[in-house]
Amino acid sequence: MDEREPDVVDAITAQWQRERPDLDLEAMGVFGRLARLMALGTARVESVFAAHGLQRGEFDVLAALRRSGAPFELNPSVLADTLMLSRAGMTGRIDRLEAAGLVHRIADRQDRRAVRVALTEEGRALVDRVVVAHTENETAMLSVLDPADRAALDRISRTLLSGWAD
């Protein structure tokens, strides 16, 4: 699609421009397109996880454990904080992954009263397969942009995020 070819967001902003010509609608167009990109991208990302029998949240837990390095185990509270999830929400994810044989709970070596969550061999093999498919999918989604545009998009999104930081 040519960047000047009208899209659905242009139709919406044109309606607003007709009804409220006093408004500056540039930001509405940008955020409308960002929202559409996020919705379409999320669906494509989640389809990769679903093809491997996972929900996004389950992949996130497996990925956090895998990224932590050997021995691929973390305290459930650390996992919850890493994934910005409530303790109860984390417990539910861990329960599902444990029932599927992808993680198991083990006693903490420093504090036997506490537990850690560890990847099983099956969990590690699965997350290693899924992360390949996931990165290939994300790369394919950005393939409509040339390298300079991808770099510009990264720079612009970083600038926006840093400007909104808490």
Side-chain angles (χ1 to χ4, degrees):
M1 172 189 255
D2 181 81
E3 65 187 26
R4 298 195 187 276
E5 187 175 320
D7 62 11
V8 68
V9 176
D10 287 321
I12 292 167
T13 56
Q15 290 170 333
W16 276 116
Q17 187 65 50
R18 182 188 70 232
E19 296 300 317
R20 291 291 309 272
D22 58 308
L23 296 176
D24 178 357
L25 301 170
E26 180 182 34
M28 182 185 281
V30 170
F31 282 100
R33 285 184 186 86
L34 287 173
R36 288 188 48 78
L37 283 168
M38 197 61 206
L40 294 169
T42 296
R44 288 182 182 191
V45 165
E46 289 177 354
S47 72
V48 169
F49 300 145
H52 291 86
L54 294 172
Q55 297 174 12
R56 180 185 196 107
E58 294 166 342
F59 171 79
D60 290 345
V61 172
L62 297 175
L65 289 167
R66 181 64 174 93
R67 290 191 318 262
S68 72
F72 312 111
E73 60 185 54
L74 292 170
N75 175 293
S77 297
V78 171
L79 269 172
D81 291 344
T82 299
L83 301 177
M84 296 177 287
L85 192 65
S86 71
R87 304 300 193 255
M90 181 54 62
T91 297
R93 286 185 189 178
I94 293 167
D95 288 346
R96 287 191 304 276
L97 290 167
E98 190 169 41
L102 301 174
V103 302
H104 60 102
R105 290 174 170 98
I106 58 174
D108 188 301
R109 288 179 278 288
Q110 280 86 31
D111 181 356
R112 304 280 299 166
R113 297 168 296 168
V115 298
R116 295 178 68 79
V117 179
L119 278 177
T120 63
E121 286 300 317
E122 183 182 348
R124 182 175 173 193
L126 177 62
V127 72
D128 281 348
R129 283 192 310 273
V130 176
V131 76
V132 170
H134 175 53
T135 57
E136 288 173 351
N137 183 45
E138 288 182 326
T139 298
M141 286 191 286
L142 290 180
S143 69
V144 299
L145 300 175
D146 65 35
D149 285 344
R150 287 192 300 272
L153 179 60
D154 183 62
R155 181 186 51 75
I156 291 165
S157 59
R158 285 173 184 270
T159 301
L160 275 172
L161 285 171
S162 70
W164 299 349
D166 297 326

